[in-house]
Amino acid sequence: DLFGSVEPLLPSLREDGVAVWVLGAGPYPPGVVALQELLDAASEELEPEDVWEPEDMNDTCLYIFTSGTTGLPKAARVSHLKSIMCLSFYELVGASSRDVVYLALPLYHMAGSLLGIVGCIGIADPPPHPTGATCVLKEKFSASQFWDDCRAEGVTVFQYIGELCRYLVNQPQRPGERQHGLRLAVGSGLRPDVWRSFQQRFGPVRIVETYGMSEGNVTLFNYTG
């Protein structure tokens, strides 16, 4: 969907040796790799472990967009080790494989993709419970649809950025906004006034405020509320 924004830059990207991969069948100009064709042709069998296992867990796993805690917005390096550490995020805040996690955060940030998606994959309860929680992906956050979504999908956990909770609190009151299964909200940037208003209005939802940086090596969890 975004290829049209990149296409005018292709000549300069090629000069800089930047590869452009696109998820879609194409056709695309020379120098662009159409991933869908490769996926369709790929074997279902896994390659031997030594082919895909990183030589060093501190090697770069991926680059993630950061809005610039340490300067201008940029692609921040994330190691394999840091990515694997994100597997434990939801277990650290008290979620289980029986939870349904509502995620409306952008997936080009660490919060949405690594803590959100990878965190859901990483939940491992004792047998016979399955590994991983259910993740409900919302393409774009909607304050007016949020509680209807929660009821329709059986949502029990909500991952927020603070302003999302403010949007919910600022919505006009409506019948049934306390009739939901949400038990846990976890995220960053929730101000005290919104925290109090959220719980008074929508019920005794447990809130776990966390803080971390894409480029940092320390994470904080407010377990005590």
Side-chain angles (χ1 to χ4, degrees):
D1 292 346
L2 301 176
F3 182 69
S5 302
V6 178
E7 193 165 12
L9 307 174
L10 284 177
S12 61
L13 292 175
R14 278 198 292 268
E15 286 178 12
D16 293 336
V18 176
V20 177
W21 295 16
V22 185
L23 189 59
Y28 297 109
V32 175
V33 181
L35 279 176
Q36 193 59 53
E37 296 173 5
L38 298 176
L39 288 171
D40 291 342
S43 169
E44 294 291 328
E45 297 296 317
L46 282 178
E47 292 288 329
E49 194 167 305
D50 57 0
V51 172
W52 50 263
E53 189 178 66
E55 293 183 11
D56 186 335
M57 293 304 289
N58 287 312
D59 285 349
T60 300
C61 174
L62 53 88
Y63 293 95
I64 202 83
F65 183 82
T66 173
S67 50
T69 308
T70 58
L72 293 171
K74 66 179 82 65
R77 175 187 167 277
V78 178
S79 68
H80 291 281
L81 179 60
K82 193 163 188 174
S83 298
I84 285 176
M85 288 171 68
C86 293
L87 285 166
S88 62
F89 176 71
Y90 274 119
E91 286 196 82
L92 288 171
V93 297
S96 77
S97 62
R98 286 151 290 180
D99 278 308
V100 177
V101 180
Y102 189 90
L103 191 63
L105 303 179
L107 300 183
Y108 50 79
H109 281 311
M110 190 165 175
S113 55
L114 289 171
L115 300 182
I117 301 292
V118 174
C120 284
I121 293 170
I123 291 176
D125 291 345
H129 298 295
T131 297
T134 300
C135 182
V136 175
L137 275 178
K138 180 77 170 179
E139 187 172 358
K140 185 178 181 182
F141 180 78
S142 168
S144 62
Q145 295 174 11
F146 178 78
W147 296 112
D148 290 337
D149 287 345
C150 286
R151 282 187 289 270
E153 304 294 341
V155 170
T156 58
V157 179
F158 168 45
Q159 188 181 347
Y160 65 81
I161 295 294
E163 290 307 297
L164 300 189
C165 298
R166 186 183 294 279
Y167 299 153
L168 291 171
V169 168
N170 286 345
Q171 280 286 295
Q173 288 192 322
R174 64 188 69 190
E177 61 184 25
R178 290 175 73 98
Q179 276 71 60
H180 56 78
L182 188 69
R183 67 174 190 86
L184 173 65
V186 56
S188 302
L190 186 55
R191 297 185 65 84
D193 59 326
V194 179
W195 185 318
R196 288 189 293 269
S197 298
F198 189 92
Q199 290 181 317
Q200 288 166 1
R201 181 165 163 186
F202 303 122
V205 178
R206 182 176 181 233
I207 295 174
V208 179
E209 176 79 7
T210 70
Y211 179 72
M213 293 182 292
S214 302
E215 300 165 85
N217 58 2
V218 173
T219 303
L220 307 175
F221 291 85
N222 179 357
Y223 285 116
T224 64

